[in-house]
Amino acid sequence: MRTRRLFFALWPDDIQRDALRSIVEALGPVSAGRPVPTGNLHVTLAFLGAVAEDRIPSLRNIAAACSCPAADLVFDRIAWWPRARLRCLEASTLPGAFVSFAQAFHEDLRRAGFKIERRPFRAHITVARNVPSAPSDPSTLLAPGFVWPVRGMALVASTPTPDGSAYEVLERF
Ligand code: ATP
Ligand code: MG
């Protein structure tokens, strides 16, 4: 059975992506590391890894049944995560309804046999990968925070390419 590398994500529409481009440009270039192309910016909701293709309908059913609430996420922190070596925008607090949704969604996926990380969900937008050290700019607060109006989620396939991963939105929920 063929497998696909899959994840659920908040996927920006064109207007939101333009706003993202502006905010990432305003952060300035990373001195080292690989910037995430604007077209790839997203918020991972649940990383599934390799999934057999015949399991995709089950993912569709779970996502369709577990509706993502309308919520405004505020990305207010510029962070560097040493283990993952990434620079990201992070939401320091999340609306309660969104946290409940994420927990219930992860639980539903686990119950159906999908392996989801046990670590608490941290909403973040990765802006650069392979960043070896914290940026010299000590500012870590983004003021005003970058608002992401959540109106649904997407099932996304990831394919490795020589230039980094290529993403394909399979379906929106
Ligand atoms: P690359 O691996 O080529 O640097 P990438 O990390 O963007 O690119 P994937 O590894 O396919 O591509 O990951 C897709 C999304 O899932 C990314 O947002 C990534 O951060 C996230 N992700 C990947 N692995 C995990 C994991 N083990 N746990 C949680 N999220 C993950
Ligand atoms: Mg990866």
Side-chain angles (χ1 to χ4, degrees):
M1 173 64 65
R2 217 184 107 171
T3 64
R4 300 202 76 179
R5 186 177 174 88
L6 300 178
F7 60 105
F8 282 102
L10 304 178
W11 202 256
D13 62 18
D14 291 346
I15 292 170
Q16 186 65 3
R17 202 172 280 293
D18 279 347
L20 269 168
R21 186 200 313 270
S22 304
I23 199 83
V24 171
E25 279 172 6
L27 294 180
V30 279
S31 51
R34 182 160 48 91
V36 173
T38 306
N40 277 5
L41 293 168
H42 66 275
V43 179
T44 302
L45 270 180
F47 179 75
L48 303 155
V51 173
E53 280 191 325
D54 67 354
R55 298 282 282 133
I56 294 179
S58 163
L59 287 176
R60 288 209 166 94
N61 291 340
I62 294 167
C66 195
S67 69
C68 186
D72 285 349
L73 307 192
V74 182
F75 292 86
D76 55 354
R77 207 182 262 169
I78 308 162
W80 173 67
W81 291 3
R83 254 167 42 109
R85 289 160 60 91
L86 56 83
R87 188 182 200 202
C88 65
L89 299 181
E90 199 179 357
S92 61
T93 57
L94 292 172
F98 186 79
V99 173
S100 303
F101 152 73
Q103 286 171 348
F105 184 46
H106 286 186
E107 233 10 86
D108 288 353
L109 289 168
R110 284 194 195 102
R111 241 194 317 270
F114 296 101
K115 301 271 178 290
I116 307 296
E117 256 197 309
R118 288 272 164 200
R119 281 182 294 181
F121 171 68
R122 284 168 80 181
H124 68 282
I125 306 163
T126 301
V127 300
R129 296 185 181 281
N130 296 330
V131 181
S133 56
S136 52
D137 176 0
S139 157
T140 57
L141 284 182
L142 196 63
F146 177 74
V147 179
W148 184 308
V150 179
R151 299 295 179 262
M153 59 179 167
L155 178 61
V156 185
S158 171
T159 309
T161 80
D163 305 322
S165 291
Y167 300 144
E168 179 196 352
V169 173
L170 300 183
E171 193 162 336
R172 290 175 185 272
F173 302 90

